[in-house]
Amino acid sequence: MLAKRSARAPLWIGLLLVAGCGGTSGGGGGDLTMCVAPAIVCGAQCVDPTSDNKNCGACGTVCAAGTACESGQCATTCPLGQTSCGGGDGGAAGCVNLLTDPANCGNCGNACPAGNACSNGSCAVSCQQGLTSCGGGDGGAALCVNLGSDNLNCGRCGNACPVGQVCSNGACGLTCQPGLTDCMGSCANLLSDNANCGLCGLACPMGELCSNGVCGLSCQMGLTVCNGACASLATDVANCGACGTICPPGNVCSNGHCAVSCQMELAACDGLCVNLQTDNANCGQCGNVCPMGDVCSNGACAVSCQQGLANCNGDCVNLSTDNGNCGACGVSCPMGQLCSNGCAVDCQPGYAVCNGVCTNLQSDLVNCGACGNACPPGNVCTAGACQLSCQQGLSVCNGVCVNLQSDLANCGQCGAACPMGQVCSNGKCALSCQQGLAQCGGTCVNLASDNADCGACGSACPMGQICSNGACGLSCKQSLTNCNGVCANLQTDIANCGMCGSPCPPGNVCSGGACALSCQNGLSNCNGVCANLKTDLANCGQCGNTCGRGTVCTNGACVVSCQPGLSLCNGACVNLAGDTANCGTCGAACAPGQVCSNGACALSCQLGLTNCNGTCANLATD
């Protein structure tokens, strides 16, 4: 009967067959014949040395963290999204991201040339806007870094900040300057940083800008684009009064000037401008912190807000005027609107709201002097009134466009007619034309600039063109630029981005006159790298969210990942084939005196005893 047993029988059956009633124990726990091959006995248990991480190849050989037992040898195992590169010629293997690693870009060993960076598995020549290429010397790969906030390259390449300091506006310091926030060791302006807009790690989509902590297609009113970010030149310490003007440490930007003092209604407390009327940490005076449960209302700590104010998350606010709590707590007014008994369009001084749009009634052709008052064709709106619009160099005289420099009936000024036999030259009546002018039909004209006689008498420029140096040329509308005979918008044209003839590279778009990276569908721009938020270990679910050791990123969430041969039971990785607390299935514990072998509980008798029908017996004395 023993010869007819299947080699696939469970290990505990083989154990009973070899050490059954009337047999012997086979010489102790080290006898390999007690387990079915390729299993061996380790610690009174049958284990598979080809796959057991604690007994890999031999009893007691434990695989190190980050490796797994494969064919009896410990080998590197990488998390999802990473690839094992190296390990050849005795070198140690390492897990790398082929999408971003400049030494292994797209494939193991494919190093980017000096001055290049790795983006989405491809080497690129230059860095994105706002970043600088550092490295690349001695054959090393270049890295794109932000010199304003990179702790290893602060202000210039290779300038690393000391331990305990952060890089703020290109200078190392113990803390970030006023108005900046420490985002994972980098100082960022949450109001204007495209990579940290409103919150650390919250990056704006491609083609949008961060304005007042909100991502949008353009900057809000009162803000200016500085190096691809929206900044308030009146208050931004990194762009005070002008783009790139950085205030010294300890100063604040007030009304476009670096100073120790703050604007009206604000006070300087430890280098920060605060409102002593509402700040719970500086209520009434600097350093006066309101007790727990109190709020600061009109400069005094109180259990509740004063009349006319409401408590919104511990701050006393006026629901009639607060843009972040307009009408009710948490109701924010949209970009470009102001809270005034409800959200409404907020126009600059001198502008009026016409059909929900801020309009200048002094110059708007559609709303000239009043909403809806449109000027007729050929007219312009000047000082709120419609007037005839003449070409450059002409003036309106009695409703007619004339050239005061050459018109016989209006020489020098409207109504000033030249006597018989004289001509009008440079605005004066004379017998002949002055130097530089030509007589055309009894009128002295400038052939270099006269639209009716451009280059020669009677050569009129077509509609929409002007005469310049005796040649007719294209005249583009406002906000457009003549680029080689084509009217182009330098803010959005990918062929003329920022200036004529400056095309954007493939995969980029033109936004605000600057080329910016455009990630493929399904990828997000995380600090200048296109990442898959569903699978990227360094950006799981959102940019900057890194999964811990032993976990993988699945559908944007970090989950525990067990090594091959192990199963997840109550948050721990166990071997169902040999775990007495989880034998065969999670939670299936073996009874006292039993062991788990190949996922099944079996009685384990002491040395010298034999298992007879579930009882340990001494065959010599029983």
Side-chain angles (χ1 to χ4, degrees):
M1 292 179 61
L2 190 61
K4 295 182 180 180
R5 293 288 182 179
S6 171
R8 298 181 180 178
L11 296 181
W12 66 272
I13 295 178
L15 180 64
L16 293 177
L17 292 175
V18 175
C21 296
T24 64
S25 62
D31 192 343
L32 300 185
T33 61
M34 298 178 67
C35 299
V36 178
I40 62 175
V41 176
C42 290
Q45 289 186 354
C46 291
V47 299
D48 187 349
T50 64
S51 61
D52 194 300
N53 289 335
K54 296 182 179 179
N55 302 278
C56 188
C59 292
T61 302
V62 181
C63 290
T67 65
C69 186
E70 296 179 1
S71 299
Q73 292 185 340
C74 295
T76 301
T77 175
C78 292
L80 185 63
Q82 295 190 17
T83 303
S84 175
C85 288
D89 299 328
C95 295
V96 299
N97 188 334
L98 298 181
L99 297 179
T100 59
D101 194 316
N104 302 276
C105 191
N107 294 295
C108 289
N110 182 33
C112 290
N116 279 227
C118 184
S119 177
N120 209 24
S122 299
C123 296
V125 175
S126 61
C127 296
Q128 297 180 23
Q129 183 179 0
L131 303 182
T132 301
S133 176
C134 286
D138 299 327
L143 296 176
C144 294
V145 300
N146 187 334
L147 297 182
S149 59
D150 193 294
N151 285 343
L152 298 178
N153 303 276
C154 189
R156 67 181 186 275
C157 292
N159 184 35
C161 291
V163 176
Q165 294 192 15
V166 292
C167 183
S168 179
N169 278 340
C172 296
L174 296 177
T175 58
C176 295
Q177 293 187 20
L180 303 182
T181 303
D182 187 346
C183 290
M184 300 184 69
S186 296
C187 293
N189 189 334
L190 299 183
L191 297 179
S192 61
D193 193 328
N194 287 343
N196 303 277
C197 191
L199 296 171
C200 289
L202 182 59
C204 288
M206 183 59 57
E208 294 190 10
L209 298 171
C210 183
S211 179
N212 270 348
V214 179
C215 296
L217 295 178
S218 61
C219 293
Q220 295 183 24
M221 189 178 301
L223 302 183
T224 303
V225 179
C226 290
N227 293 324
C230 295
S232 172
L233 300 184
T235 60
D236 194 332
V237 293
N239 303 278
C240 190
C243 291
T245 300
I246 303 174
C247 290
N251 277 227
V252 295
C253 184
S254 181
N255 283 335
H257 297 281
C258 296
V260 178
S261 61
C262 299
Q263 299 180 21
M264 188 180 301
E265 298 181 356
L266 300 182
C269 292
D270 294 329
L272 296 177
C273 292
V274 299
N275 190 333
L276 298 180
Q277 301 297 304
T278 59
D279 195 304
N280 285 342
N282 303 277
C283 190
Q285 62 183 7
C286 292
N288 184 31
V289 181
C290 289
M292 185 70 67
D294 282 26
V295 292
C296 184
S297 180
N298 280 343
C301 296
V303 175
S304 61
C305 297
Q306 297 184 13
Q307 186 175 1
L309 303 182
N311 188 337
C312 290
N313 296 322
D315 290 329
C316 293
V317 299
N318 189 331
L319 298 180
S320 298
T321 59
D322 193 291
N323 282 345
N325 304 276
C326 191
C329 291
V331 178
S332 299
C333 289
M335 186 178 300
Q337 293 193 15
L338 180 71
C339 183
S340 178
N341 288 325
C343 294
V345 176
D346 178 28
C347 297
Q348 295 181 358
Y351 285 72
V353 179
C354 291
N355 294 323
V357 178
C358 292
T359 304
N360 189 338
L361 299 180
Q362 301 297 304
S363 59
D364 195 300
L365 287 172
V366 182
N367 305 279
C368 188
C371 291
N373 183 34
C375 291
N379 279 230
V380 294
C381 183
T382 303
C386 295
Q387 297 180 4
L388 184 66
S389 174
C390 297
Q391 294 185 13
Q392 187 175 359
L394 303 183
S395 302
V396 179
C397 288
N398 296 323
V400 179
C401 294
V402 299
N403 190 334
L404 298 180
Q405 301 298 305
S406 59
D407 194 288
L408 289 173
N410 303 278
C411 190
Q413 61 184 9
C414 292
C418 289
M420 186 69 67
Q422 292 190 11
V423 294
C424 183
S425 179
N426 273 347
K428 293 182 179 180
C429 295
L431 293 177
S432 61
C433 296
Q434 298 182 14
Q435 186 177 1
L437 302 181
Q439 189 182 102
C440 292
T443 302
C444 293
V445 298
N446 188 336
L447 298 179
S449 61
D450 194 295
N451 285 337
D453 303 280
C454 189
C457 292
S459 177
C461 290
M463 184 68 67
Q465 295 191 14
I466 58 175
C467 183
S468 177
N469 286 331
C472 297
L474 181 67
S475 176
C476 294
K477 294 181 180 180
Q478 189 174 1
S479 79
L480 299 183
T481 303
N482 185 346
C483 291
N484 295 324
V486 177
C487 291
N489 189 332
L490 301 183
Q491 299 298 305
T492 59
D493 195 315
I494 58 174
N496 303 278
C497 192
M499 65 175 61
C500 291
S502 177
C504 289
N508 280 229
V509 293
C510 183
S511 177
C515 297
L517 178 66
S518 175
C519 292
Q520 300 176 6
N521 190 24
L523 301 182
S524 301
N525 187 343
C526 291
N527 295 324
V529 176
C530 293
N532 189 331
L533 300 183
K534 291 184 177 295
T535 60
D536 196 304
L537 288 174
N539 304 278
C540 189
Q542 63 181 15
C543 291
N545 184 32
T546 304
C547 291
R549 177 176 294 180
T551 62
V552 294
C553 183
T554 302
N555 283 333
C558 297
V559 297
V560 176
S561 174
C562 293
Q563 296 180 2
L566 302 185
S567 301
L568 182 65
C569 289
N570 295 323
C573 295
V574 300
N575 187 340
L576 297 180
D579 194 302
T580 56
N582 301 276
C583 190
T585 60
C586 291
C590 292
Q594 293 188 351
V595 295
C596 182
S597 178
N598 269 355
C601 295
L603 183 65
S604 175
C605 294
Q606 297 180 4
L607 184 65
L609 300 182
T610 303
N611 184 347
C612 291
N613 296 323
T615 302
C616 294
N618 190 330
L619 300 180
T621 61
D622 197 331

